[in-house]
Amino acid sequence: MAGAAGALWVSVQRFVSPGDAGFEIAALALLAVVIGGSGSMWGACAGAALVWLTRDYLGNLEVVAGRGPLLLGVLFVVAVYTLPRGLAGVRLPLKLTRKGTA
């Protein structure tokens, strides 16, 4: 999956510099996996979406302009304390079924 994403990135950008594989990108990828959970693919994808939303959308709001990294840090701390298995470890309650109605 990561290899396909890298190949698509190169085909779109037409240039890859060493800065594209720097510490910030690696830290964001690790943060996405920790928040989403390393046990499943959808958890890591959900974590990546949450990191992207926090960094690019919430970090650019006028109220918190320029504090995107602070928001990512708060998100990380909250996720580690409240979701030890990440988003993939969250279990939704089962639907209640009706018995003997047939």
Side-chain angles (χ1 to χ4, degrees):
M1 198 70 134
L8 289 173
W9 176 260
V10 170
S11 68
V12 168
Q13 295 296 320
R14 305 259 189 231
F15 175 73
V16 177
S17 69
D20 290 336
F23 175 76
E24 183 180 358
I25 301 299
L28 287 174
L30 182 62
L31 182 63
V33 170
V34 168
I35 290 173
S38 61
S40 70
M41 179 64 79
W42 77 264
C45 290
L50 194 58
V51 166
W52 173 76
L53 266 170
T54 303
R55 187 186 75 168
D56 291 346
Y57 181 70
L58 295 178
N60 290 331
L61 290 177
E62 190 173 322
V63 177
V64 292
R67 292 187 176 83
L70 177 66
L71 289 176
L72 283 176
V74 169
L75 177 67
F76 175 70
V77 170
V78 168
V80 167
Y81 280 119
T82 59
L83 303 169
R85 293 183 181 166
L87 291 173
V90 174
R91 300 286 181 226
L92 299 176
L94 297 174
K95 293 182 180 180
L96 298 175
T97 59
R98 299 172 75 183
K99 294 181 181 179
T101 58

